[in-house]
Amino acid sequence: QLHSLHVLSSGDNRTLHLLCFLTMERIDKSVITTAKDVEAMKLIQAYADFLKRSGKIELPKMHDIMRTRVFSDYIPLDEDWYYIRCAAIARHLYMRPGVGINSLREHFGGKHRNGVRHAYHDHANGTIIRSAIHNLEKMGLVEEAKNGGRKLTKAGQKELDLIARQI
């Protein structure tokens, strides 16, 4: 220890960092679980159940007759589709902060099939994505990013990590 005191007084920062690194206990990274470590569908389903139980999400007026994509003919079969969409948006913002509404519309869009004509990629419904983001902002989970778009707050990241640890 006398040698380490001598090293500390010499003022060499690299040696100081090396000394501190050697004396610190190692953190077992296998115990730490984040939302990036968990399978996407399991996390989204668990977070959607959490959002539904919390009761803080306000459903859109016509959520039972809304189509999720511009080109789809039918409404979603799952009754909890709005909670699943909110959870998927929250996970997407966790993975890629600074994403805007149009990028989310692109991500949640799909193949528009036109019968005998060529198929092309079309956007998802922007009203649903906007209302989901507004609901997440009211809960304090999403905020505007500096460079545009939206990102998760620290509370939102903590909530998703907590759900990921429970899976």
Side-chain angles (χ1 to χ4, degrees), residues 70-118:
V70 176
F71 53 88
S72 64
D73 293 331
Y74 303 108
I75 61 172
L77 298 175
D78 191 358
E79 293 178 4
D80 298 334
W81 67 268
Y82 188 75
Y83 299 106
I84 293 171
R85 180 59 57 98
C86 288
I89 288 172
R91 182 190 173 273
H92 191 83
L93 291 174
Y94 184 94
M95 298 294 184
R96 297 173 192 86
V99 173
I101 302 290
N102 209 27
S103 298
L104 288 169
R105 287 186 68 198
E106 180 88 19
H107 175 74
F108 288 106
K111 189 176 190 178
H112 188 160
R113 299 180 61 170
N114 289 317
V116 295
R117 296 185 341 208
H118 293 291

mmCIF file of all heavy atoms in Angstrom, residues 70-118:
data_model
loop_
_atom_site.group_PDB
_atom_site.id
_atom_site.type_symbol
_atom_site.label_atom_id
_atom_site.label_comp_id
_atom_site.label_asym_id
_atom_site.label_seq_id
_atom_site.Cartn_x
_atom_site.Cartn_y
_atom_site.Cartn_z
ATOM 1 N N VAL A 70 -52.420 2.168 -43.737
ATOM 2 C CA VAL A 70 -53.223 2.876 -44.731
ATOM 3 C C VAL A 70 -53.827 1.895 -45.725
ATOM 4 O O VAL A 70 -54.965 2.037 -46.168
ATOM 5 C CB VAL A 70 -52.342 3.917 -45.463
ATOM 6 C CG1 VAL A 70 -53.107 4.597 -46.566
ATOM 7 C CG2 VAL A 70 -51.795 4.922 -44.478
ATOM 8 N N PHE A 71 -53.092 0.841 -46.041
ATOM 9 C CA PHE A 71 -53.504 -0.078 -47.095
ATOM 10 C C PHE A 71 -54.240 -1.303 -46.574
ATOM 11 O O PHE A 71 -54.640 -2.156 -47.347
ATOM 12 C CB PHE A 71 -52.270 -0.544 -47.886
ATOM 13 C CG PHE A 71 -51.188 -1.101 -47.018
ATOM 14 C CD1 PHE A 71 -51.169 -2.427 -46.674
ATOM 15 C CD2 PHE A 71 -50.200 -0.273 -46.522
ATOM 16 C CE1 PHE A 71 -50.186 -2.930 -45.871
ATOM 17 C CE2 PHE A 71 -49.200 -0.772 -45.725
ATOM 18 C CZ PHE A 71 -49.195 -2.109 -45.393
ATOM 19 N N SER A 72 -54.441 -1.427 -45.259
ATOM 20 C CA SER A 72 -55.117 -2.617 -44.744
ATOM 21 C C SER A 72 -56.626 -2.445 -44.842
ATOM 22 O O SER A 72 -57.168 -1.340 -44.730
ATOM 23 C CB SER A 72 -54.700 -2.897 -43.305
ATOM 24 O OG SER A 72 -55.113 -1.846 -42.470
ATOM 25 N N ASP A 73 -57.300 -3.548 -45.045
ATOM 26 C CA ASP A 73 -58.745 -3.515 -45.194
ATOM 27 C C ASP A 73 -59.475 -3.758 -43.887
ATOM 28 O O ASP A 73 -60.636 -3.383 -43.743
ATOM 29 C CB ASP A 73 -59.188 -4.576 -46.201
ATOM 30 C CG ASP A 73 -58.708 -4.257 -47.609
ATOM 31 O OD1 ASP A 73 -58.555 -3.066 -47.909
ATOM 32 O OD2 ASP A 73 -58.480 -5.195 -48.394
ATOM 33 N N TYR A 74 -58.815 -4.421 -42.947
ATOM 34 C CA TYR A 74 -59.479 -4.850 -41.727
ATOM 35 C C TYR A 74 -58.829 -4.232 -40.487
ATOM 36 O O TYR A 74 -57.680 -3.820 -40.508
ATOM 37 C CB TYR A 74 -59.438 -6.378 -41.611
ATOM 38 C CG TYR A 74 -60.049 -7.062 -42.797
ATOM 39 C CD1 TYR A 74 -59.259 -7.721 -43.727
ATOM 40 C CD2 TYR A 74 -61.421 -7.024 -43.009
ATOM 41 C CE1 TYR A 74 -59.808 -8.344 -44.819
ATOM 42 C CE2 TYR A 74 -61.985 -7.643 -44.108
ATOM 43 C CZ TYR A 74 -61.177 -8.300 -45.011
ATOM 44 O OH TYR A 74 -61.727 -8.898 -46.099
ATOM 45 N N ILE A 75 -59.591 -4.243 -39.412
ATOM 46 C CA ILE A 75 -59.063 -3.791 -38.130
ATOM 47 C C ILE A 75 -58.220 -4.922 -37.528
ATOM 48 O O ILE A 75 -58.349 -6.073 -37.931
ATOM 49 C CB ILE A 75 -60.207 -3.390 -37.173
ATOM 50 C CG1 ILE A 75 -61.134 -4.582 -36.896
ATOM 51 C CG2 ILE A 75 -60.985 -2.227 -37.738
ATOM 52 C CD1 ILE A 75 -62.170 -4.336 -35.832
ATOM 53 N N PRO A 76 -57.352 -4.627 -36.564
ATOM 54 C CA PRO A 76 -56.554 -5.685 -35.941
ATOM 55 C C PRO A 76 -57.437 -6.685 -35.185
ATOM 56 O O PRO A 76 -58.480 -6.325 -34.628
ATOM 57 C CB PRO A 76 -55.658 -4.938 -34.951
ATOM 58 C CG PRO A 76 -55.682 -3.528 -35.400
ATOM 59 C CD PRO A 76 -56.974 -3.313 -36.093
ATOM 60 N N LEU A 77 -57.021 -7.936 -35.177
ATOM 61 C CA LEU A 77 -57.794 -8.980 -34.503
ATOM 62 C C LEU A 77 -57.625 -8.936 -32.988
ATOM 63 O O LEU A 77 -58.542 -9.276 -32.250
ATOM 64 C CB LEU A 77 -57.367 -10.355 -35.033
ATOM 65 C CG LEU A 77 -57.613 -10.577 -36.526
ATOM 66 C CD1 LEU A 77 -57.053 -11.911 -36.963
ATOM 67 C CD2 LEU A 77 -59.103 -10.494 -36.829
ATOM 68 N N ASP A 78 -56.452 -8.523 -32.526
ATOM 69 C CA ASP A 78 -56.185 -8.468 -31.098
ATOM 70 C C ASP A 78 -56.837 -7.228 -30.500
ATOM 71 O O ASP A 78 -56.686 -6.120 -31.014
ATOM 72 C CB ASP A 78 -54.673 -8.444 -30.862
ATOM 73 C CG ASP A 78 -54.300 -8.659 -29.421
ATOM 74 O OD1 ASP A 78 -55.216 -8.796 -28.584
ATOM 75 O OD2 ASP A 78 -53.092 -8.694 -29.126
ATOM 76 N N GLU A 79 -57.565 -7.402 -29.397
ATOM 77 C CA GLU A 79 -58.232 -6.264 -28.767
ATOM 78 C C GLU A 79 -57.247 -5.311 -28.099
ATOM 79 O O GLU A 79 -57.542 -4.135 -27.920
ATOM 80 C CB GLU A 79 -59.241 -6.765 -27.736
ATOM 81 C CG GLU A 79 -60.405 -7.496 -28.353
ATOM 82 C CD GLU A 79 -61.364 -8.030 -27.306
ATOM 83 O OE1 GLU A 79 -61.145 -7.755 -26.102
ATOM 84 O OE2 GLU A 79 -62.312 -8.706 -27.686
ATOM 85 N N ASP A 80 -56.079 -5.809 -27.731
ATOM 86 C CA ASP A 80 -55.063 -5.002 -27.057
ATOM 87 C C ASP A 80 -54.030 -4.439 -28.030
ATOM 88 O O ASP A 80 -52.911 -4.135 -27.634
ATOM 89 C CB ASP A 80 -54.350 -5.844 -25.996
ATOM 90 C CG ASP A 80 -55.302 -6.329 -24.929
ATOM 91 O OD1 ASP A 80 -56.334 -5.670 -24.705
ATOM 92 O OD2 ASP A 80 -55.003 -7.369 -24.312
ATOM 93 N N TRP A 81 -54.389 -4.264 -29.273
ATOM 94 C CA TRP A 81 -53.416 -3.859 -30.289
ATOM 95 C C TRP A 81 -52.826 -2.483 -29.995
ATOM 96 O O TRP A 81 -51.658 -2.235 -30.299
ATOM 97 C CB TRP A 81 -54.048 -3.874 -31.683
ATOM 98 C CG TRP A 81 -55.116 -2.850 -31.895
ATOM 99 C CD1 TRP A 81 -56.442 -2.989 -31.699
ATOM 100 C CD2 TRP A 81 -54.924 -1.502 -32.326
ATOM 101 N NE1 TRP A 81 -57.096 -1.827 -31.978
ATOM 102 C CE2 TRP A 81 -56.191 -0.892 -32.375
ATOM 103 C CE3 TRP A 81 -53.813 -0.751 -32.684
ATOM 104 C CZ2 TRP A 81 -56.366 0.427 -32.757
ATOM 105 C CZ3 TRP A 81 -53.985 0.570 -33.069
ATOM 106 C CH2 TRP A 81 -55.262 1.137 -33.107
ATOM 107 N N TYR A 82 -53.603 -1.595 -29.391
ATOM 108 C CA TYR A 82 -53.094 -0.249 -29.135
ATOM 109 C C TYR A 82 -52.006 -0.271 -28.069
ATOM 110 O O TYR A 82 -51.000 0.429 -28.180
ATOM 111 C CB TYR A 82 -54.238 0.686 -28.722
ATOM 112 C CG TYR A 82 -53.811 2.126 -28.642
ATOM 113 C CD1 TYR A 82 -53.607 2.867 -29.798
ATOM 114 C CD2 TYR A 82 -53.584 2.745 -27.420
ATOM 115 C CE1 TYR A 82 -53.200 4.192 -29.734
ATOM 116 C CE2 TYR A 82 -53.180 4.054 -27.350
ATOM 117 C CZ TYR A 82 -52.992 4.781 -28.501
ATOM 118 O OH TYR A 82 -52.577 6.075 -28.444
ATOM 119 N N TYR A 83 -52.180 -1.085 -27.040
ATOM 120 C CA TYR A 83 -51.150 -1.219 -26.008
ATOM 121 C C TYR A 83 -49.879 -1.848 -26.589
ATOM 122 O O TYR A 83 -48.771 -1.456 -26.234
ATOM 123 C CB TYR A 83 -51.671 -2.076 -24.849
ATOM 124 C CG TYR A 83 -52.879 -1.473 -24.178
ATOM 125 C CD1 TYR A 83 -54.141 -2.001 -24.380
ATOM 126 C CD2 TYR A 83 -52.753 -0.370 -23.342
ATOM 127 C CE1 TYR A 83 -55.255 -1.450 -23.771
ATOM 128 C CE2 TYR A 83 -53.858 0.189 -22.728
ATOM 129 C CZ TYR A 83 -55.106 -0.356 -22.951
ATOM 130 O OH TYR A 83 -56.196 0.196 -22.351
ATOM 131 N N ILE A 84 -50.070 -2.806 -27.483
ATOM 132 C CA ILE A 84 -48.921 -3.446 -28.134
ATOM 133 C C ILE A 84 -48.182 -2.441 -29.003
ATOM 134 O O ILE A 84 -46.948 -2.395 -29.014
ATOM 135 C CB ILE A 84 -49.382 -4.672 -28.952
ATOM 136 C CG1 ILE A 84 -49.897 -5.753 -27.998
ATOM 137 C CG2 ILE A 84 -48.270 -5.204 -29.831
ATOM 138 C CD1 ILE A 84 -50.572 -6.914 -28.675
ATOM 139 N N ARG A 85 -48.930 -1.581 -29.694
ATOM 140 C CA ARG A 85 -48.287 -0.562 -30.534
ATOM 141 C C ARG A 85 -47.523 0.446 -29.670
ATOM 142 O O ARG A 85 -46.417 0.855 -30.008
ATOM 143 C CB ARG A 85 -49.346 0.134 -31.394
ATOM 144 C CG ARG A 85 -48.846 1.218 -32.338
ATOM 145 C CD ARG A 85 -47.813 0.741 -33.353
ATOM 146 N NE ARG A 85 -48.229 -0.331 -34.183
ATOM 147 C CZ ARG A 85 -48.702 -0.221 -35.417
ATOM 148 N NH1 ARG A 85 -48.827 0.962 -35.959
ATOM 149 N NH2 ARG A 85 -49.026 -1.290 -36.099
ATOM 150 N N CYS A 86 -48.091 0.854 -28.547
ATOM 151 C CA CYS A 86 -47.395 1.775 -27.629
ATOM 152 C C CYS A 86 -46.112 1.141 -27.097
ATOM 153 O O CYS A 86 -45.066 1.797 -27.034
ATOM 154 C CB CYS A 86 -48.302 2.156 -26.466
ATOM 155 S SG CYS A 86 -49.651 3.253 -26.903
ATOM 156 N N ALA A 87 -46.189 -0.126 -26.736
ATOM 157 C CA ALA A 87 -45.013 -0.825 -26.227
ATOM 158 C C ALA A 87 -43.951 -0.975 -27.316
ATOM 159 O O ALA A 87 -42.750 -0.824 -27.060
ATOM 160 C CB ALA A 87 -45.408 -2.193 -25.685
ATOM 161 N N ALA A 88 -44.378 -1.255 -28.539
ATOM 162 C CA ALA A 88 -43.428 -1.403 -29.647
ATOM 163 C C ALA A 88 -42.759 -0.072 -29.975
ATOM 164 O O ALA A 88 -41.560 -0.026 -30.277
ATOM 165 C CB ALA A 88 -44.143 -1.957 -30.881
ATOM 166 N N ILE A 89 -43.503 1.016 -29.889
ATOM 167 C CA ILE A 89 -42.927 2.339 -30.122
ATOM 168 C C ILE A 89 -41.920 2.674 -29.026
ATOM 169 O O ILE A 89 -40.833 3.192 -29.301
ATOM 170 C CB ILE A 89 -44.039 3.405 -30.220
ATOM 171 C CG1 ILE A 89 -44.799 3.240 -31.540
ATOM 172 C CG2 ILE A 89 -43.482 4.809 -30.109
ATOM 173 C CD1 ILE A 89 -46.030 4.100 -31.661
ATOM 174 N N ALA A 90 -42.263 2.361 -27.781
ATOM 175 C CA ALA A 90 -41.342 2.626 -26.673
ATOM 176 C C ALA A 90 -40.052 1.826 -26.848
ATOM 177 O O ALA A 90 -38.948 2.351 -26.651
ATOM 178 C CB ALA A 90 -42.005 2.280 -25.345
ATOM 179 N N ARG A 91 -40.159 0.562 -27.245
ATOM 180 C CA ARG A 91 -38.956 -0.252 -27.469
ATOM 181 C C ARG A 91 -38.143 0.287 -28.639
ATOM 182 O O ARG A 91 -36.923 0.344 -28.602
ATOM 183 C CB ARG A 91 -39.331 -1.705 -27.734
ATOM 184 C CG ARG A 91 -38.106 -2.585 -27.911
ATOM 185 C CD ARG A 91 -38.455 -3.969 -28.414
ATOM 186 N NE ARG A 91 -37.232 -4.675 -28.716
ATOM 187 C CZ ARG A 91 -36.596 -4.611 -29.870
ATOM 188 N NH1 ARG A 91 -37.065 -3.847 -30.856
ATOM 189 N NH2 ARG A 91 -35.490 -5.287 -30.076
ATOM 190 N N HIS A 92 -38.825 0.727 -29.687
ATOM 191 C CA HIS A 92 -38.128 1.280 -30.856
ATOM 192 C C HIS A 92 -37.367 2.545 -30.476
ATOM 193 O O HIS A 92 -36.236 2.751 -30.921
ATOM 194 C CB HIS A 92 -39.136 1.570 -31.967
ATOM 195 C CG HIS A 92 -38.511 1.884 -33.280
ATOM 196 N ND1 HIS A 92 -38.081 0.916 -34.147
ATOM 197 C CD2 HIS A 92 -38.213 3.060 -33.879
ATOM 198 C CE1 HIS A 92 -37.561 1.479 -35.225
ATOM 199 N NE2 HIS A 92 -37.631 2.787 -35.079
ATOM 200 N N LEU A 93 -37.971 3.389 -29.641
ATOM 201 C CA LEU A 93 -37.290 4.603 -29.192
ATOM 202 C C LEU A 93 -36.147 4.276 -28.237
ATOM 203 O O LEU A 93 -35.183 5.032 -28.149
ATOM 204 C CB LEU A 93 -38.282 5.548 -28.515
ATOM 205 C CG LEU A 93 -39.319 6.179 -29.440
ATOM 206 C CD1 LEU A 93 -40.330 6.971 -28.634
ATOM 207 C CD2 LEU A 93 -38.657 7.048 -30.481
ATOM 208 N N TYR A 94 -36.243 3.157 -27.519
ATOM 209 C CA TYR A 94 -35.148 2.719 -26.658
ATOM 210 C C TYR A 94 -33.947 2.328 -27.511
ATOM 211 O O TYR A 94 -32.813 2.657 -27.186
ATOM 212 C CB TYR A 94 -35.617 1.523 -25.819
ATOM 213 C CG TYR A 94 -34.601 1.030 -24.816
ATOM 214 C CD1 TYR A 94 -34.633 1.489 -23.507
ATOM 215 C CD2 TYR A 94 -33.627 0.099 -25.150
ATOM 216 C CE1 TYR A 94 -33.727 1.041 -22.571
ATOM 217 C CE2 TYR A 94 -32.716 -0.349 -24.225
ATOM 218 C CZ TYR A 94 -32.769 0.120 -22.939
ATOM 219 O OH TYR A 94 -31.854 -0.324 -22.021
ATOM 220 N N MET A 95 -34.213 1.619 -28.590
ATOM 221 C CA MET A 95 -33.133 1.133 -29.446
ATOM 222 C C MET A 95 -32.555 2.242 -30.329
ATOM 223 O O MET A 95 -31.352 2.269 -30.580
ATOM 224 C CB MET A 95 -33.628 0.007 -30.354
ATOM 225 C CG MET A 95 -34.113 -1.192 -29.604
ATOM 226 S SD MET A 95 -32.765 -1.958 -28.734
ATOM 227 C CE MET A 95 -33.575 -3.360 -28.059
ATOM 228 N N ARG A 96 -33.410 3.137 -30.819
ATOM 229 C CA ARG A 96 -32.965 4.186 -31.735
ATOM 230 C C ARG A 96 -33.526 5.534 -31.292
ATOM 231 O O ARG A 96 -34.571 5.965 -31.768
ATOM 232 C CB ARG A 96 -33.469 3.894 -33.142
ATOM 233 C CG ARG A 96 -32.928 2.634 -33.717
ATOM 234 C CD ARG A 96 -33.597 2.313 -35.043
ATOM 235 N NE ARG A 96 -33.285 0.972 -35.457
ATOM 236 C CZ ARG A 96 -33.941 -0.114 -35.083
ATOM 237 N NH1 ARG A 96 -34.970 -0.016 -34.278
ATOM 238 N NH2 ARG A 96 -33.585 -1.306 -35.501
ATOM 239 N N PRO A 97 -32.843 6.212 -30.376
ATOM 240 C CA PRO A 97 -33.352 7.522 -29.932
ATOM 241 C C PRO A 97 -33.253 8.558 -31.051
ATOM 242 O O PRO A 97 -32.392 8.474 -31.922
ATOM 243 C CB PRO A 97 -32.434 7.879 -28.760
ATOM 244 C CG PRO A 97 -31.268 6.981 -28.857
ATOM 245 C CD PRO A 97 -31.651 5.794 -29.669
ATOM 246 N N GLY A 98 -34.165 9.513 -31.031
ATOM 247 C CA GLY A 98 -34.152 10.576 -32.035
ATOM 248 C C GLY A 98 -34.948 10.242 -33.280
ATOM 249 O O GLY A 98 -34.776 10.875 -34.318
ATOM 250 N N VAL A 99 -35.826 9.269 -33.192
ATOM 251 C CA VAL A 99 -36.633 8.857 -34.340
ATOM 252 C C VAL A 99 -37.894 9.712 -34.376
ATOM 253 O O VAL A 99 -38.508 9.977 -33.342
ATOM 254 C CB VAL A 99 -36.993 7.361 -34.229
ATOM 255 C CG1 VAL A 99 -37.958 6.945 -35.308
ATOM 256 C CG2 VAL A 99 -35.745 6.525 -34.314
ATOM 257 N N GLY A 100 -38.281 10.131 -35.570
ATOM 258 C CA GLY A 100 -39.470 10.964 -35.726
ATOM 259 C C GLY A 100 -40.688 10.149 -36.117
ATOM 260 O O GLY A 100 -40.643 8.935 -36.285
ATOM 261 N N ILE A 101 -41.801 10.850 -36.287
ATOM 262 C CA ILE A 101 -43.072 10.208 -36.624
ATOM 263 C C ILE A 101 -42.985 9.529 -37.985
ATOM 264 O O ILE A 101 -43.443 8.399 -38.165
ATOM 265 C CB ILE A 101 -44.216 11.251 -36.634
ATOM 266 C CG1 ILE A 101 -44.341 11.963 -35.302
ATOM 267 C CG2 ILE A 101 -45.534 10.599 -37.025
ATOM 268 C CD1 ILE A 101 -44.844 11.140 -34.170
ATOM 269 N N ASN A 102 -42.377 10.195 -38.945
ATOM 270 C CA ASN A 102 -42.312 9.621 -40.287
ATOM 271 C C ASN A 102 -41.460 8.347 -40.322
ATOM 272 O O ASN A 102 -41.791 7.403 -41.027
ATOM 273 C CB ASN A 102 -41.769 10.655 -41.276
ATOM 274 C CG ASN A 102 -42.291 10.431 -42.668
ATOM 275 O OD1 ASN A 102 -43.382 9.884 -42.835
ATOM 276 N ND2 ASN A 102 -41.531 10.841 -43.659
ATOM 277 N N SER A 103 -40.384 8.328 -39.554
ATOM 278 C CA SER A 103 -39.558 7.117 -39.481
ATOM 279 C C SER A 103 -40.318 5.982 -38.817
ATOM 280 O O SER A 103 -40.188 4.822 -39.216
ATOM 281 C CB SER A 103 -38.278 7.388 -38.701
ATOM 282 O OG SER A 103 -37.515 8.356 -39.353
ATOM 283 N N LEU A 104 -41.117 6.307 -37.818
ATOM 284 C CA LEU A 104 -41.945 5.280 -37.184
ATOM 285 C C LEU A 104 -43.028 4.785 -38.135
ATOM 286 O O LEU A 104 -43.352 3.593 -38.159
ATOM 287 C CB LEU A 104 -42.564 5.821 -35.897
ATOM 288 C CG LEU A 104 -41.596 6.009 -34.737
ATOM 289 C CD1 LEU A 104 -42.261 6.793 -33.623
ATOM 290 C CD2 LEU A 104 -41.099 4.677 -34.235
ATOM 291 N N ARG A 105 -43.592 5.679 -38.928
ATOM 292 C CA ARG A 105 -44.577 5.257 -39.930
ATOM 293 C C ARG A 105 -43.939 4.310 -40.937
ATOM 294 O O ARG A 105 -44.548 3.332 -41.348
ATOM 295 C CB ARG A 105 -45.137 6.473 -40.674
ATOM 296 C CG ARG A 105 -46.084 7.298 -39.858
ATOM 297 C CD ARG A 105 -46.694 8.389 -40.690
ATOM 298 N NE ARG A 105 -47.583 7.785 -41.683
ATOM 299 C CZ ARG A 105 -48.003 8.407 -42.776
ATOM 300 N NH1 ARG A 105 -47.616 9.638 -43.031
ATOM 301 N NH2 ARG A 105 -48.801 7.795 -43.616
ATOM 302 N N GLU A 106 -42.700 4.613 -41.314
ATOM 303 C CA GLU A 106 -41.966 3.749 -42.239
ATOM 304 C C GLU A 106 -41.700 2.382 -41.612
ATOM 305 O O GLU A 106 -41.864 1.348 -42.240
ATOM 306 C CB GLU A 106 -40.647 4.424 -42.605
ATOM 307 C CG GLU A 106 -39.785 3.652 -43.560
ATOM 308 C CD GLU A 106 -40.107 3.936 -45.004
ATOM 309 O OE1 GLU A 106 -40.730 4.969 -45.295
ATOM 310 O OE2 GLU A 106 -39.739 3.101 -45.836
ATOM 311 N N HIS A 107 -41.304 2.394 -40.344
ATOM 312 C CA HIS A 107 -40.964 1.150 -39.657
ATOM 313 C C HIS A 107 -42.179 0.239 -39.484
ATOM 314 O O HIS A 107 -42.085 -0.972 -39.681
ATOM 315 C CB HIS A 107 -40.355 1.454 -38.290
ATOM 316 C CG HIS A 107 -40.094 0.244 -37.469
ATOM 317 N ND1 HIS A 107 -39.062 -0.622 -37.734
ATOM 318 C CD2 HIS A 107 -40.750 -0.270 -36.399
ATOM 319 C CE1 HIS A 107 -39.083 -1.607 -36.855
ATOM 320 N NE2 HIS A 107 -40.101 -1.410 -36.035
ATOM 321 N N PHE A 108 -43.314 0.817 -39.106
ATOM 322 C CA PHE A 108 -44.502 0.020 -38.844
ATOM 323 C C PHE A 108 -45.342 -0.208 -40.100
ATOM 324 O O PHE A 108 -46.386 -0.845 -40.015
ATOM 325 C CB PHE A 108 -45.363 0.670 -37.757
ATOM 326 C CG PHE A 108 -44.748 0.553 -36.402
ATOM 327 C CD1 PHE A 108 -44.173 1.647 -35.796
ATOM 328 C CD2 PHE A 108 -44.728 -0.653 -35.743
ATOM 329 C CE1 PHE A 108 -43.600 1.547 -34.547
ATOM 330 C CE2 PHE A 108 -44.148 -0.772 -34.497
ATOM 331 C CZ PHE A 108 -43.583 0.331 -33.891
ATOM 332 N N GLY A 109 -44.913 0.306 -41.227
ATOM 333 C CA GLY A 109 -45.614 0.073 -42.485
ATOM 334 C C GLY A 109 -45.381 -1.337 -42.985
ATOM 335 O O GLY A 109 -44.812 -2.190 -42.299
ATOM 336 N N GLY A 110 -45.811 -1.588 -44.196
ATOM 337 C CA GLY A 110 -45.656 -2.928 -44.747
ATOM 338 C C GLY A 110 -45.844 -2.945 -46.246
ATOM 339 O O GLY A 110 -45.870 -1.907 -46.911
ATOM 340 N N LYS A 111 -46.002 -4.124 -46.761
ATOM 341 C CA LYS A 111 -46.119 -4.331 -48.198
ATOM 342 C C LYS A 111 -47.547 -4.050 -48.652
ATOM 343 O O LYS A 111 -48.490 -4.670 -48.174
ATOM 344 C CB LYS A 111 -45.732 -5.770 -48.521
ATOM 345 C CG LYS A 111 -45.605 -6.081 -49.966
ATOM 346 C CD LYS A 111 -45.122 -7.508 -50.123
ATOM 347 C CE LYS A 111 -44.743 -7.799 -51.549
ATOM 348 N NZ LYS A 111 -44.241 -9.172 -51.675
ATOM 349 N N HIS A 112 -47.693 -3.098 -49.535
ATOM 350 C CA HIS A 112 -48.988 -2.775 -50.123
ATOM 351 C C HIS A 112 -49.128 -3.592 -51.399
ATOM 352 O O HIS A 112 -48.460 -3.334 -52.392
ATOM 353 C CB HIS A 112 -49.062 -1.283 -50.430
ATOM 354 C CG HIS A 112 -50.416 -0.836 -50.862
ATOM 355 N ND1 HIS A 112 -50.807 0.467 -50.795
ATOM 356 C CD2 HIS A 112 -51.492 -1.497 -51.350
ATOM 357 C CE1 HIS A 112 -52.041 0.598 -51.244
ATOM 358 N NE2 HIS A 112 -52.467 -0.595 -51.581
ATOM 359 N N ARG A 113 -50.005 -4.560 -51.332
ATOM 360 C CA ARG A 113 -50.189 -5.456 -52.486
ATOM 361 C C ARG A 113 -51.341 -4.932 -53.330
ATOM 362 O O ARG A 113 -52.422 -4.652 -52.840
ATOM 363 C CB ARG A 113 -50.464 -6.858 -51.996
ATOM 364 C CG ARG A 113 -49.299 -7.391 -51.181
ATOM 365 C CD ARG A 113 -49.567 -8.750 -50.694
ATOM 366 N NE ARG A 113 -49.762 -9.626 -51.846
ATOM 367 C CZ ARG A 113 -49.837 -10.934 -51.772
ATOM 368 N NH1 ARG A 113 -49.753 -11.525 -50.622
ATOM 369 N NH2 ARG A 113 -50.021 -11.665 -52.854
ATOM 370 N N ASN A 114 -51.110 -4.822 -54.601
ATOM 371 C CA ASN A 114 -52.076 -4.185 -55.503
ATOM 372 C C ASN A 114 -52.680 -5.154 -56.505
ATOM 373 O O ASN A 114 -52.979 -4.769 -57.634
ATOM 374 C CB ASN A 114 -51.394 -3.051 -56.271
ATOM 375 C CG ASN A 114 -51.078 -1.884 -55.394
ATOM 376 O OD1 ASN A 114 -51.909 -1.505 -54.581
ATOM 377 N ND2 ASN A 114 -49.893 -1.340 -55.524
ATOM 378 N N GLY A 115 -52.817 -6.384 -56.151
ATOM 379 C CA GLY A 115 -53.378 -7.344 -57.099
ATOM 380 C C GLY A 115 -52.361 -7.663 -58.181
ATOM 381 O O GLY A 115 -51.279 -8.150 -57.896
ATOM 382 N N VAL A 116 -52.682 -7.338 -59.438
ATOM 383 C CA VAL A 116 -51.778 -7.675 -60.535
ATOM 384 C C VAL A 116 -50.680 -6.638 -60.725
ATOM 385 O O VAL A 116 -49.700 -6.903 -61.405
ATOM 386 C CB VAL A 116 -52.554 -7.848 -61.864
ATOM 387 C CG1 VAL A 116 -53.489 -9.027 -61.763
ATOM 388 C CG2 VAL A 116 -53.323 -6.598 -62.220
ATOM 389 N N ARG A 117 -50.846 -5.462 -60.109
ATOM 390 C CA ARG A 117 -49.807 -4.437 -60.215
ATOM 391 C C ARG A 117 -48.671 -4.731 -59.245
ATOM 392 O O ARG A 117 -48.778 -5.585 -58.379
ATOM 393 C CB ARG A 117 -50.396 -3.065 -59.935
ATOM 394 C CG ARG A 117 -51.428 -2.662 -60.970
ATOM 395 C CD ARG A 117 -51.942 -1.275 -60.805
ATOM 396 N NE ARG A 117 -51.736 -0.706 -59.491
ATOM 397 C CZ ARG A 117 -52.514 0.209 -58.972
ATOM 398 N NH1 ARG A 117 -53.546 0.644 -59.625
ATOM 399 N NH2 ARG A 117 -52.261 0.704 -57.785
ATOM 400 N N HIS A 118 -47.584 -3.986 -59.357
ATOM 401 C CA HIS A 118 -46.428 -4.196 -58.497
ATOM 402 C C HIS A 118 -46.745 -3.806 -57.057
ATOM 403 O O HIS A 118 -47.431 -2.814 -56.812
ATOM 404 C CB HIS A 118 -45.229 -3.372 -58.978
ATOM 405 C CG HIS A 118 -44.701 -3.828 -60.293
ATOM 406 N ND1 HIS A 118 -44.064 -5.031 -60.457
ATOM 407 C CD2 HIS A 118 -44.735 -3.257 -61.524
ATOM 408 C CE1 HIS A 118 -43.701 -5.177 -61.716
ATOM 409 N NE2 HIS A 118 -44.107 -4.106 -62.392
#
